[in-house]
Amino acid sequence: MARLVLPGEPDRRLFSPPTRHAVAAGDRLSADAAFRTMSDGVALLWHGGYPAARQLLDAVNRRIPPPPPDDYPRYRADRARRARLLSLLYVPLDPGHVIPLRRAPDVRAACSAVHGPLEEPAAVPLRELLGVLGAAEWRRKGVAVPALGARIHPHYGVFAPVRQEYVDLVAEAPLPGTELAFDIGTGTGVLAAVLARRGVQQVVATDTDPRAVACATENLARLGFTGRTEVVPADLFPRGRAPLVVANPPWLPGRPRGPLDHAVHDSGSRMLRGFLDRARRHLTQDGEAWLVLSDLAEHLGLRTREELLGWIAAAGLGVVDRTEAAPRHPRALDPTDPLHRARAAEVTSLWRLSP
């Protein structure tokens, strides 16, 4: 029997069914039986039709009890457990990223773009495969950004700018100058694009993730800003000083558990505190540091306003002004969301800071 490996990891052994850690499964398997098997830590290697596998994954997800409301530690633990359990439903891949199942979609282009070539039989969690396909669709269609009058196209593993309030804040705040700006942790490049559209003559955007650097470079080129923008790999700041430095760091302290989690969770508030601590060294005289930050962490009891103000003061910065925007994303309006109370009270602020 061919050894089954993860795409992009040709030397990592997964399993060679049948073993006690993986069993074959097909269309006759009930959702209840699948849930019991996966709850025991046993993986399922699917041999039925592809649509049935998707239906089974949805059915198993519905059988996982939700966490209690307004309990963030339990919510995080539930998300991690849910991800581990749902990742135990595998589908096979033949060389070239071909799914040898009935009525399976063509995933060759999407998988090759993320994982590279596949030269031997493999198995991949259906949950991961659906994430790759969803990311490919996001990249193809893009996300409409009214402040740009255009669309931003996120790459796999790069957080999409689906929340527009923080973009609007940067699009409307008074600029301290238009010669140069630094966009720290650029992601898709959306804030760099907004600054360039507002007339900033040169924008230098940074990110530590190669995927984000490639994504931002592509988006800025598509929008016609290549000559006025530069995307460089850097840990926070590029060299030099600018009249304006902007950052939208992860909003919640905590350990990221996946690529997209890095846009939301920041262990020890490293990026937030690093931006504040180093901003003065990269500002010109009379320059401003713009910190775009949600107060969701405060509503969840993960950080206090006093702590944030203390970090700002310790960095030798003062608050020039603060503008706010209420959340408009669907979760803030969904009373069934486990964190609904905190999300409904959330406010995103643009803090204008200066030495």
Side-chain angles (χ1 to χ4, degrees), residues 219-278:
N219 278 311
L220 292 167
R222 181 185 286 111
L223 294 168
F225 296 134
T226 300
R228 295 167 48 206
T229 59
E230 180 184 9
V231 186
V232 298
D235 186 4
L236 296 176
F237 291 89
R239 293 181 178 179
R241 295 174 180 265
L244 175 62
V245 296
V246 179
N248 174 34
W251 294 346
L252 298 178
R255 182 172 61 87
R257 294 194 173 110
L260 291 178
D261 236 17
H262 283 275
V264 180
H265 297 92
D266 181 18
S267 295
S269 299
R270 174 191 172 275
M271 182 177 175
L272 169 58
R273 300 193 67 176
F275 173 75
L276 293 172
D277 290 343
R278 294 166 56 183

Side-chain angles (χ1 to χ4, degrees), residues 299-332:
H299 296 292
L300 294 173
L302 305 176
R303 181 175 60 235
T304 66
R305 178 60 56 89
E306 288 70 25
E307 282 181 297
L308 176 61
L309 292 174
W311 296 343
I312 292 172
L317 300 171
V319 179
V320 176
D321 191 19
R322 180 168 68 93
T323 52
E324 299 180 346
R328 302 193 298 268
H329 57 90
R331 283 187 175 183

Side-chain angles (χ1 to χ4, degrees), residues 276-289:
L276 293 172
D277 290 343
R278 294 166 56 183
R280 287 189 65 183
R281 286 177 264 166
H282 294 277
L283 283 174
T284 59
Q285 188 175 8
D286 300 324
E288 290 185 7

Side-chain angles (χ1 to χ4, degrees), residues 94-258:
D94 282 347
H97 296 286
V98 175
I99 304 177
L101 300 176
R102 297 186 310 276
R103 298 176 62 192
D106 185 345
V107 302
R108 291 174 295 177
C111 288
S112 296
V114 172
H115 295 297
L118 179 66
E119 298 177 353
E120 57 180 306
V124 63
L126 178 57
R127 184 175 183 270
E128 157 70 10
L129 181 63
L130 293 175
V132 170
L133 295 179
E137 189 65 10
W138 274 107
R139 183 170 179 176
R140 184 185 69 81
K141 295 173 59 177
V143 179
V145 181
L148 280 175
R151 304 182 82 84
I152 288 289
H153 296 259
H155 291 193
Y156 175 83
V158 181
F159 200 75
V162 291
R163 292 186 54 155
Q164 298 291 313
E165 53 265 30
Y166 76 94
V167 179
D168 293 342
L169 288 170
V170 172
E172 295 165 4
L175 293 169
T178 58
E179 314 92 74
L180 175 65
F182 296 160
D183 174 26
I184 310 303
T186 192
T188 61
V190 61
L191 295 185
V194 167
L195 293 172
R197 188 176 188 271
R198 294 193 62 187
V200 177
Q201 298 169 24
Q202 187 68 31
V203 181
V204 180
T206 69
D207 210 294
T208 57
D209 187 346
R211 291 171 297 192
V213 171
C215 179
T217 300
E218 182 180 296
N219 278 311
L220 292 167
R222 181 185 286 111
L223 294 168
F225 296 134
T226 300
R228 295 167 48 206
T229 59
E230 180 184 9
V231 186
V232 298
D235 186 4
L236 296 176
F237 291 89
R239 293 181 178 179
R241 295 174 180 265
L244 175 62
V245 296
V246 179
N248 174 34
W251 294 346
L252 298 178
R255 182 172 61 87
R257 294 194 173 110

